[in-house]
Each structure stands twice: as structure tokens, then as C-alpha cells.
Amino acid sequence: MKKQNGERRFLWLAVGVICGMCLSYFWPHEPALAVATDRDTDRFAISTVPTKAGNAEAVFVLDFLTGRLQGAVLNSRSGKFTQAYFRNLAADFGVDPTAKPHYVIVPGTVDLPAQGRVQFANGGLYVAEMSSGIVACYGFSFLFNNAATPPQQLIPIDRFQFRVAQ
């Protein structure tokens, strides 16, 4: 009698494991995305942006004092920053960097199609500036490359006015 109860428990355990495996195979998978943004109150902000699936994220630093946005991608094979990016946001937003502009920066998914030889990363940056009242989206080209490449300008995708400039 005890042997038969032990066999039934094993049978039910095996059925439960098999059913769980089947359910997990057909359950929709959602990737975990971990982009982040942090800032010092009035000096700079830092943000990570996804590049392509399976590759390291790009990291961008916005210097509020100069209005310059700079970033780089860490090569996951070599452990070195091999691609660098930059943009003069003060010129894009038409603000004087000495007048203390107020920037806000967040990463987002853009997934733009390739334009000629330019293949965009999956992510982009949204930057808003209060005194100009403009929100702009910036993308960047990304090709996985082991060799260091010269710095490239971030590519303005589009912009809109969210309030009247002061």
C-alpha cells in the first residue's frame, strides 16, 4: 500500500512539472528593460538608452552649464567605450547656456527604420527645455563594432512646442 501511494505522488509531481513547463513555453514573454535617468539639481543629468538586443546600453550625460549632451556605448566584448556621441543642445533649443536653462531628459524606445546607411539604435533620448518650451527627440546610429569610431553627432528626429517660449 505504501509503495502505491509513493508512486502516485511521483506521478502527480511529474504531471505538474510537465504541465508547468508546457504553460511556461506558451506564455507570452516580455523582456525586462532597465533604462535609468538620474540628475543633479542644476548641473547635469545622466541617462542610459538601449542600443540593440543583446548589446550594452548607451550612457549619455547632459551638462546643464554648457548645454552639451555627450554619450558612449560600452562594447560588451572588449569592455571599452568604442562609440561616442555628442550634441550642442543650447544651439538646438536657442538658449544661452549662461542664463541657466532648465533641461529634462528621459530615454525612450524609438525603433526607427534605417535611413540609407544609418541604422538607428532601438532607443532614443527625449529632451525638454523650459524657457524655449520645446521637446526634442534625438536618435543615434549604432553598428556593433570592436574598433573605436570617431565621435558622431546625435541625430535630431523631431521636435514640438509644448508651451510658448518666455
Side-chain angles (χ1 to χ4, degrees), residues 1-165:
M1 184 78 163
K2 286 190 176 190
K3 186 176 180 186
Q4 192 176 24
N5 284 341
E7 288 175 1
R8 282 190 186 154
R9 287 183 188 154
F10 180 73
L11 174 68
W12 284 113
L13 176 65
V15 168
V17 168
I18 290 170
C19 288
M21 289 173 56
C22 290
L23 182 65
S24 69
Y25 179 77
F26 291 110
W27 200 267
H29 297 100
E30 295 184 27
L33 301 176
V35 294
T37 301
D38 195 11
R39 66 182 293 134
D40 180 33
T41 54
D42 59 351
R43 287 181 259 175
F44 78 100
I46 187 169
S47 184
T48 60
V49 180
T51 54
K52 296 280 184 190
N55 291 310
E57 297 173 326
V59 61
F60 288 92
V61 177
L62 172 55
D63 183 352
F64 295 167
L65 303 176
T66 63
R68 188 163 169 87
L69 177 62
Q70 295 185 137
V73 176
L74 185 70
N75 186 309
S76 54
R77 290 187 188 152
S78 68
K80 305 281 184 193
F81 286 104
T82 56
Q83 295 182 346
Y85 305 94
F86 67 94
R87 188 79 191 183
N88 183 351
L89 296 183
D92 287 353
F93 289 100
V95 295
D96 180 12
T98 60
K100 285 195 164 189
H102 298 283
Y103 295 103
V104 177
I105 182 171
V106 294
T109 303
V110 293
D111 259 345
L112 295 171
Q115 294 178 357
R117 290 185 167 185
V118 176
Q119 292 186 4
F120 287 100
N122 291 343
L125 287 166
Y126 296 95
V127 181
E129 200 285 315
M130 287 299 291
S131 62
S132 67
I134 295 173
V135 173
C137 177
Y138 294 94
F140 57 98
S141 64
F142 177 77
L143 289 173
F144 190 77
N145 192 357
N146 286 333
T149 60
Q152 304 171 35
Q153 280 223 37
L154 287 165
I155 303 162
I157 305 300
D158 203 4
R159 60 195 292 165
F160 71 91
Q161 191 89 30
F162 70 92
R163 65 183 273 192
V164 177

